Amino acid sequence: MCEESDNHFGTDVFQTGQMKISDGNLDQAEISECRDTNIVPACNTRLYRRRWLILMVFSSYSLCNAFQWIQYGIINNIFMKFYNVSSFAIDWLSMIYMLTYIPFIFPVTWLLERKGLRVIALCAAAINCVGTWIKVASVQPNLFWVTMLGQFACSFAQVFILGMPSQVASVWFGSDEVSTACAIGVFGNQLGIAIGFLIPPVLVPNVDDMNELAQHISVMFYITAAVASLIFLLVVFVFQDKPETPPCLAQVTLRHMPTTQYSYLASIARLFHNKPFILLLISYGLNVGCFYAVSTLLNRMIIEHYPGEEVNAGRIGLTLVIAGVVGSLLCGIWLDKTKTYKETTLSVYLLSFVGMVIYAFTLNLGHLWVVFLTSGLLGFFMTGYLPLGFEFAVELTYPESEGTSSGLLNCSAQMFGITFTIIQGKIIDHFSTLAGNIFLCVFLLIGSITTALIKSDLRRQKANSQPQTELIADSFINSQDGKSLPAKEVKM
């Protein structure tokens, strides 16, 4: 077990294993033993209290970015009127987040491998901040292209954010808390979406006077820009790349793999030859793609059955996401306690399918309280699935980079999200909301079956259960033999 030190914030540690750690010194006998076997001497692990501050800062800029994804879509009809554009054009202000992610995730993941978390965090916060100020300049009916440009900048910032929860958790947190940390990282994104559902309908009411409407939109954009600017400064002065000493045995192994042997393209190739990961890639994309479609089209679905209820549409979206936040945190804690990755993932996936079926067949009953209830049920499982997918992927692909596996998962989700949003939108226009939601139910069922076929090979858990010197020795021998274990530590 680990015991927390009483040292000052930022220098405190947890002491792990049989090697006594004091001010960064390692027992000399252990150092000699490592050297005799040609193994690097840093065989200790530490947990720093500032890991929670790093996680909080990450969650903050993730929240700010996620808020902007849905701020147009939840008041779709109002922005249609202000900019005099079609509903489909407003949908693209949300779908641009999905489209931008697909081509840029690979260079961003490469940059993560070369420069580390701090550079990625600075890029994310800076680009997001620039996007918010561009949108401040777009509050005129003839400047739809400017607001699209600002939204594109924010969508580009998302590429530096969306796949990072598992990376931040793995780099900074111990093996018994990594799933909880990942869930908290995802929580920032979910909370941003929740605020995006709640705040825009309150700040931008559906008024007929264009000058008054422009003033309301301007207030929302200025508030967003101010928050983004403050968060950028926080990232500059607080966010760090990695702890001086790794937090767990798996990270010790990754740090001591030779850097010269790492190939990003080879890592991608290995992931695409990993059958369990490919199945997870498909099932994750189907689930999260459905969530993106439901979130983007929520205003249209609610307004069709409950005209004039823009504010309640936002509250329903809030209910969907807040329930998902609770589901995410509970699932993260459950995984840390039980390590039942496949069982939990499959159970939550099946319940997401059940929740979608219930939501689809109760939306048109004419009772808003029923919609609130079913949205909460759907959100608890559908968005609660997000950290499960990230953590299951890390287990199946260790020792590949967490950023690479998470990036591929999100790329799959974006592709399915765009496809589902466009097709469901067309189905709603030509048939009904029920038909559109049944369309999503079919794919959630397919995703459940795909998840059941995944072989549960928990590689990271196996690594963390090995003795420390054996773990590092195995990594050294494998790298010397030229086996496909990538290097993870690339110095700036």
Side-chain angles (χ1 to χ4, degrees), residues 60 62 65 73 99 103 157 186 189 245 263 269 300 329 354 359 375 458 476:
S60 296
S62 177
N65 182 262
L99 182 64
V186 173
N189 184 271
T245 305
S263 168
R300 291 171 61 182
L329 294 176
V354 172
Y359 171 82
S375 296
L458 306 182
F476 179 81

Side-chain angles (χ1 to χ4, degrees), residues 233-249:
L233 293 176
L234 194 62
V235 171
V236 170
F237 291 108
V238 173
F239 202 92
Q240 296 180 359
D241 187 43
K242 61 181 180 292
E244 200 171 313
T245 305
C248 63
L249 300 183

Side-chain angles (χ1 to χ4, degrees), residues 183-478:
I184 294 172
V186 173
F187 165 79
N189 184 271
Q190 293 175 320
L191 185 59
I193 297 172
I195 297 173
F197 278 123
L198 179 65
I199 299 300
V202 175
L203 293 180
V204 187
N206 191 2
V207 296
D208 294 327
D209 188 300
M210 286 295 118
N211 291 328
E212 182 183 353
L213 185 57
Q215 185 177 0
H216 290 307
I217 294 173
S218 183
V219 167
M220 179 174 70
F221 285 166
Y222 268 112
I223 292 173
T224 308
V227 171
S229 301
L230 289 174
I231 291 174
F232 171 67
L233 293 176
L234 194 62
V235 171
V236 170
F237 291 108
V238 173
F239 202 92
Q240 296 180 359
D241 187 43
K242 61 181 180 292
E244 200 171 313
T245 305
C248 63
L249 300 183
Q251 284 295 308
V252 170
T253 306
L254 298 182
R255 288 200 184 191
H256 294 142
M257 289 179 182
T259 61
T260 56
Q261 296 181 5
Y262 178 69
S263 168
Y264 177 64
L265 293 179
S267 176
I268 296 287
R270 283 190 295 272
L271 289 176
F272 277 108
H273 283 87
N274 184 330
K275 183 179 177 181
F277 176 71
I278 293 300
L279 292 174
L280 180 63
L281 191 68
I282 296 170
S283 61
Y284 183 91
L286 290 172
N287 187 296
V288 182
C290 288
F291 169 70
Y292 288 159
V294 170
S295 299
T296 302
L297 301 173
L298 184 63
N299 172 269
R300 291 171 61 182
M301 289 190 282
I302 299 301
I303 295 302
E304 178 176 331
H305 295 290
Y306 306 92
E309 295 288 355
E310 289 89 358
V311 174
N312 272 322
R315 291 171 180 166
I316 289 168
L318 174 69
T319 302
L320 187 148
V321 177
I322 291 298
V325 167
V326 176
S328 293
L329 294 176
L330 291 179
C331 289
I333 295 170
W334 175 259
L335 283 185
D336 278 332
K337 297 294 184 184
T338 66
K339 310 300 182 186
T340 54
Y341 287 86
K342 178 178 177 178
E343 294 85 349
T344 305
T345 302
L346 179 58
S347 299
V348 170
Y349 211 121
L350 285 169
L351 291 169
S352 298
F353 165 68
V354 172
M356 188 68 211
V357 171
I358 295 173
Y359 171 82
F361 285 95
T362 58
L363 181 62
N364 60 353
L365 293 182
H367 303 291
L368 271 173
W369 68 268
V370 175
V371 182
F372 275 97
L373 185 63
T374 56
S375 296
L377 178 67
L378 176 63
F380 183 87
F381 296 111
M382 184 174 280
T383 58
Y385 172 81
L386 297 177
L388 295 179
F390 282 148
E391 285 300 292
F392 198 16
V394 173
E395 292 293 336
L396 294 174
T397 60
Y398 179 87
E400 307 294 349
S401 168
E402 295 88 353
T404 305
S405 60
S406 297
L408 288 173
L409 287 183
N410 282 315
C411 189
S412 173
Q414 310 307 317
M415 290 190 289
F416 280 114
I418 292 175
T419 304
F420 289 167
T421 301
I422 294 174
I423 295 176
Q424 188 186 15
K426 296 298 182 183
I427 293 174
I428 291 173
D429 290 339
H430 292 89
F431 298 97
S432 66
T433 56
L434 176 60
N437 287 324
I438 291 175
F439 165 78
L440 297 184
C441 291
V442 171
F443 284 97
L444 284 175
L445 178 60
I446 294 172
S448 299
I449 296 170
T450 305
T451 302
L453 298 176
I454 298 174
K455 179 183 177 182
S456 184
D457 181 16
L458 306 182
R459 300 178 180 181
R460 184 176 62 179
Q461 292 305 312
K462 293 175 184 177
N464 279 320
S465 66
Q466 292 185 47
Q468 217 161 5
T469 53
E470 176 189 338
L471 184 66
I472 301 173
D474 287 347
S475 303
F476 179 81
I477 292 168
N478 284 331

